[in-house]
Amino acid sequence: MKRCVNCILPETFPGISFNEDGICSFCLKSRPDEKDQNLRKKYKVKFQELISQKAGKGDYDVIMAYSGGKDSTYTLYLFREIYKLDVLAMTFDNGFISEAAFKNIQKICERLKIDSLIVRPDPNMLRKIFRTASEKELYSSKTLERASTICTSCIGLVKFIVLKTAIEKDIPFVGFGWSPGQAPIKSSVMRTNPVFIKAAQEQLYKPLKEIAGEKIRRFFLSDKHFSQKGRFPWNIHPLAFEEYNEKKILDKNITLGWKRPKDTDPNSSNCLLNAFANYIHRQRYRFHPYVWEIANMVRQGIMTREEGLKKIEPPENENMVRYCKKRLWSGPS
């Protein structure tokens, strides 16, 4: 398969083309701000100014979508220890969280003295959603560039549950552990737009309602929430403006008591379902669902091209794929 000689995007990636030197159209159009340290500093200062205005006025300063993975653990540490915020860590149990990841969640929250909220929807409903997502496309073609259909379903629920909780508890910040390849710098400190959120919610809600029925509504915003525009929080993605060094992140996590699970794939440190989701996506579209994120980090110099290829080239572990397939179609053993 032909790949960009500069990043790692393959010829099967939607909308890609190559120049005569083998450089892809996305590299040729890449933004100079991806490496702009002054811009990173600007958004860090912006966040610090918002903290001085909004923190300390309620029960919590930030609600963090905490998966127990590598990046979200380090982000939790930044919020608590570096920015000195009162944090509510919210974990979405999709039925496939690694046992080791759950131990990490408990250990890290205790170590950082953080309240932990675990949301565990009906596992039968979630398995039905994930089964359907593995069999057909549910969302716009643009979403396929950034994540598998299974992961889009899962993280979409996470986003709206976190946002709903933030509005109801009047929490000024919502935090995510997005890597610099997932979220650009200019979106790292951004006020949630109710109009945009309403449109985004409809795109996710409609297909999920067809699968799960009316009870899926409880995980989304209602008209009551949209009428409280002044309580919509700021989205904060610290890893976009903080230094991102995977070794330093792992080293810091380990000092906090975090241990990397041995039962997850190379692109996840918390979810057992990820390998199956990646396998289905690669079979269906012939490119890895993490390739966009990793290509962005290669362009930014966060990792080498060779390091990026190591994350996406090996095939998924067959045992993990079979395990997830069995769980999805027959339930827990």
Side-chain angles (χ1 to χ4, degrees):
M1 183 183 296
K2 182 178 181 179
R3 291 188 183 275
C4 175
V5 298
N6 185 59
C7 70
I8 59 171
L9 289 180
E11 60 187 336
T12 51
F13 193 80
I16 199 169
S17 61
F18 299 88
N19 70 5
E20 60 185 13
D21 297 319
I23 300 174
C24 78
S25 49
F26 294 96
C27 281
L28 294 171
K29 294 185 293 186
S30 63
R31 302 181 306 274
D33 62 25
E34 290 176 342
K35 295 183 179 180
D36 190 339
Q37 294 300 322
N38 289 328
L39 193 61
R40 295 176 191 274
K41 183 178 180 180
K42 173 186 173 180
Y43 279 88
K44 183 171 183 176
V45 169
K46 183 177 180 179
F47 179 41
Q48 291 169 328
E49 290 173 348
L50 285 170
I51 289 174
S52 66
Q53 298 168 19
K54 298 182 177 297
K57 297 181 180 180
D59 292 336
Y60 299 102
D61 300 319
V62 56
I63 179 170
M64 166 80 194
Y66 185 38
S67 69
K70 164 180 63 69
D71 288 343
S72 68
T73 294
Y74 187 71
T75 303
L76 197 68
Y77 156 78
L78 290 175
F79 281 136
R80 187 72 181 109
E81 295 297 310
I82 303 302
Y83 292 103
K84 306 300 181 183
L85 298 175
D86 286 327
V87 186
L88 174 61
M90 196 217 80
T91 300
F92 181 78
D93 182 3
N94 66 2
F96 290 86
I97 301 296
S98 162
E99 184 178 344
F102 265 126
K103 290 180 179 178
N104 283 332
I105 290 167
Q106 182 177 4
K107 187 179 297 182
I108 297 301
C109 287
E110 184 173 352
R111 178 70 179 270
L112 295 177
K113 299 179 181 178
I114 286 173
D115 291 347
S116 174
L117 172 66
I118 296 176
V119 178
R120 184 175 290 120
D122 174 10
N124 298 292
M125 178 189 73
L126 291 180
R127 285 196 297 270
K128 186 176 182 181
I129 290 171
F130 298 148
R131 285 198 304 269
T132 307
S134 74
E135 295 170 339
K136 65 178 183 179
E137 191 49 61
L138 302 177
Y139 313 109
S140 70
S141 59
K142 194 66 178 174
T143 65
L144 303 175
E145 299 175 9
R146 309 300 176 95
S148 68
T149 308
I150 290 175
C151 286
T152 297
S153 302
C154 189
I155 195 61
L157 285 168
V158 171
K159 288 178 181 178
F160 283 103
I161 293 170
V162 169
L163 176 57
K164 182 178 181 180
T165 306
I167 294 170
E168 292 174 350
K169 291 185 175 294
D170 204 16
I171 302 173
F173 301 119
V174 167
F176 292 95
W178 304 136
S179 75
Q182 292 173 300
I185 302 171
K186 290 182 179 180
S187 70
S188 61
V189 182
M190 183 176 289
R191 184 72 182 268
T192 308
N193 185 320
V195 175
F196 172 79
I197 290 297
K198 197 165 192 176
Q201 175 170 288
E202 190 64 17
Q203 292 178 9
L204 186 73
Y205 174 72
K206 287 181 68 175
L208 293 188
K209 182 185 175 185
E210 290 180 7
I211 300 168
E214 283 291 340
K215 71 178 182 179
I216 200 71
R217 166 56 71 180
R218 65 190 63 165
F219 303 109
F220 290 90
L221 274 61
S222 66
D223 290 341
K224 177 186 71 175
H225 299 99
F226 285 109
S227 69
Q228 303 176 69
K229 295 180 180 179
R231 299 179 74 171
F232 272 61
W234 287 78
N235 278 333
I236 310 296
H237 312 142
L239 297 185
F241 53 76
E242 294 283 354
E243 178 189 12
Y244 189 91
N245 181 297
E246 193 168 77
K247 184 179 184 304
K248 289 183 179 179
I249 288 172
L250 288 170
D251 288 346
K252 171 50 69 176
N253 288 351
I254 289 169
T255 66
L256 297 172
W258 185 89
K259 294 182 180 179
R260 188 176 195 108
K262 297 180 180 180
D263 53 358
T264 58
D265 74 284
N267 293 291
S268 175
S269 48
N270 66 293
C271 184
L272 303 176
L273 188 58
N274 203 58
F276 179 74
N278 293 347
Y279 171 80
I280 292 296
H281 192 93
R282 290 220 268 194
Q283 292 292 310
R284 189 183 292 170
Y285 303 109
R286 297 183 59 234
F287 68 90
H288 197 291
Y290 280 78
V291 73
W292 174 260
E293 172 190 350
I294 295 170
N296 283 336
M297 290 199 282
V298 171
R299 288 191 203 103
Q300 294 175 46
I302 292 170
M303 65 175 65
T304 66
R305 187 174 185 274
E306 291 69 28
E307 289 170 337
L309 288 172
K310 287 180 181 178
K311 287 182 175 291
I312 64 163
E313 284 191 330
E316 284 69 38
N317 184 296
E318 293 182 5
N319 291 330
M320 293 179 67
V321 172
R322 282 196 296 267
Y323 166 80
C324 291
K325 191 171 183 179
K326 181 180 178 181
R327 282 282 305 274
L328 285 173
W329 270 266
S330 62
S333 55

